[in-house]
Amino acid sequence: MIENASAILIPASFCRLIRVDETKCSPEFVYYALQDLYAAGGTWEFQNQSTGISNFQFEVFRKKYTLPNIDRSEQTAIAEVLGALDDKISTNTRIATASADISRSLFERALESGSVETSLTTVTTLISRGITPSYSDEAAGTTKILNQKCVRDQRVLLAPSRRTVDSRVREDKVLVVNDVLVNSTGQGTLGRVARWTRIERVTTDSHISIVRFDANLTNPITAGYGLLRMQSAIEELGEGSTGQTELSRVDLGKLRILLPNREIQDQLGEQLHQISSTQNAYLAENDTLAATRDALLPQLMSGQLRVKDAERSLAGVL
């Protein structure tokens, strides 16, 4: 029976508090056991969809779900191994967030020293939606393609991306380092902005606008941060009825962007690049740490992997 105190998010339309008897079971272990259950799709058997709406039957779950048969000391050891990975992810996230805050402060300080306002179209060589894809699960003859889910928290997430056949990809819409991506359709997603900083052949679908700055007229890195700071203004540019919100290329191009004076843009751009590289390194490490945690979780819960072996495998990670 499940009963303790960590708020556990059940994949349904509500949240329930589970309180565990700590003399019998580790609360942290319960948390990871439920994460394992959810990742394996095991929560579906506790959902009632007879009404067409997925409702999590918590009382059925509470009575029927059985925790892995692992003794208390081993539970604690498993939770400590997985918790160490999550703690490192949290630390990296805080550092990355602080780095982003520093970048914003540097940009704002530069504006105070002198600025120029211009339309976005004046300082860009490309403002265009991405392509209409022809999806494929093959690696050969295809290009990775980003969608709206890939632009979140002002960074690009590759996990939700797919692949499209190369014949659909226009070369001018293959992303270039320092391009800026702007989600341009849909309520709740329109207006999200992120900078592209990878050296990798990738394009976007037609729900994302690609903004490419003219390096002869402005520093692309500095200008990219100028566009990031305007995310709220971009969100307000959407037009259309509910669920059909659209951001036109013309309206995006008319957006007035505020930039530091040209003579300091290159120096500022180099500073922002260094900070961004550090931030990206911490976030990339988080991806590795999360993948490691997700791989270890089912093995530890099933007993396929002993805690000591897991600790040895983490020696070079933590």
Side-chain angles (χ1 to χ4, degrees):
M1 185 175 293
I2 306 252
E3 311 226 349
N4 177 40
S6 289
I8 308 276
L9 182 62
I10 302 299
S13 59
F14 55 87
C15 223
R16 295 296 293 264
L17 183 71
I18 295 177
R19 184 157 293 151
V20 176
D21 183 345
E22 296 190 41
T23 65
K24 300 178 181 179
C25 192
S26 160
E28 295 79 12
F29 175 79
V30 172
Y31 168 78
Y32 286 112
L34 294 181
Q35 291 291 329
D36 183 45
L37 177 71
Y38 178 51
T43 57
W44 284 104
E45 67 176 287
F46 303 110
Q47 295 190 40
N48 177 8
Q49 300 186 38
S50 60
T51 61
I53 300 176
S54 179
N55 291 312
F56 192 83
Q57 298 176 296
F58 188 80
E59 289 305 315
V60 175
F61 166 76
R62 189 177 66 84
K63 293 175 181 177
K64 291 189 175 181
Y65 173 65
T66 303
L67 286 166
N69 186 20
I70 298 174
D71 66 55
R72 184 67 166 78
S73 61
E74 186 77 358
Q75 290 178 10
T76 300
I78 289 173
E80 287 177 351
V81 168
L82 297 172
L85 290 164
D86 277 335
D87 288 345
K88 178 63 172 172
I89 290 172
S90 295
T91 299
N92 285 354
T93 300
R94 286 195 295 272
I95 294 173
T97 299
S99 297
D101 290 340
I102 291 171
S103 294
R104 283 191 287 270
S105 296
L106 286 173
F107 189 92
E108 295 299 327
R109 193 178 307 162
L111 290 178
E112 293 172 0
S113 300
S115 62
V116 58
E117 186 180 69
T118 183
S119 66
L120 193 58
T121 190
T122 301
V123 289
T124 55
T125 60
L126 178 72
I127 300 177
S128 177
R129 293 286 186 96
I131 68 167
T132 300
S134 178
Y135 293 116
S136 172
D137 293 328
E138 300 297 325
T142 63
T143 297
K144 191 172 294 183
I145 183 166
L146 306 178
N147 55 61
Q148 291 163 291
K149 295 179 181 179
C150 297
V151 179
R152 182 180 290 273
D153 299 326
Q154 296 202 333
R155 61 179 294 229
V156 178
L157 309 176
L158 293 182
S161 67
R162 299 180 66 181
R163 302 194 74 86
T164 181
V165 297
D166 285 341
S167 61
R168 303 303 295 268
V169 182
R170 283 175 42 182
E171 285 303 311
D172 64 322
K173 296 188 179 182
V174 174
L175 297 183
V176 175
V177 172
N178 297 322
D179 280 351
V180 178
L181 310 182
V182 182
N183 276 359
S184 297
T185 65
Q187 287 194 328
T189 58
L190 185 146
R192 291 180 187 168
V193 182
R195 295 177 58 246
W196 176 253
T197 58
R198 299 171 183 259
I199 302 175
E200 184 177 348
R201 184 178 172 81
V202 175
T203 188
T204 75
D205 69 17
S206 59
H207 297 293
I208 296 176
S209 293
I210 303 169
V211 178
R212 186 166 299 152
F213 289 98
D214 187 339
N216 295 314
L217 299 176
T218 188
N219 181 280
I221 299 173
T222 299
Y225 276 89
L227 198 50
L228 289 182
R229 75 187 287 272
M230 300 189 72
Q231 179 166 298
S232 295
I234 297 172
E235 291 171 346
E236 295 175 0
L237 293 177
E239 298 176 348
S241 59
T242 302
Q244 298 295 321
T245 308
E246 295 282 340
L247 173 61
S248 76
R249 180 182 64 83
V250 173
D251 286 342
L252 184 57
K254 289 179 180 178
L255 190 71
R256 304 291 293 180
I257 183 171
L258 191 64
L259 298 171
N261 287 337
R262 185 67 181 92
E263 57 266 25
I264 67 170
Q265 284 186 24
D266 291 338
Q267 180 181 357
L268 176 60
E270 181 58 31
Q271 290 179 292
L272 295 173
H273 170 69
Q274 295 298 329
I275 296 172
S276 175
S277 296
T278 300
Q279 178 184 5
N280 290 340
Y282 279 107
L283 293 174
E285 184 180 38
N286 275 1
D287 292 339
T288 300
L289 293 169
T292 301
R293 177 202 60 207
D294 294 345
L296 291 177
L297 179 57
Q299 297 182 64
L300 288 168
M301 290 295 169
S302 66
Q304 290 179 300
L305 183 69
R306 301 287 296 175
V307 171
K308 290 183 178 179
D309 294 328
E311 290 173 337
R312 279 194 290 269
S313 71
L314 294 180
V317 177
L318 297 175

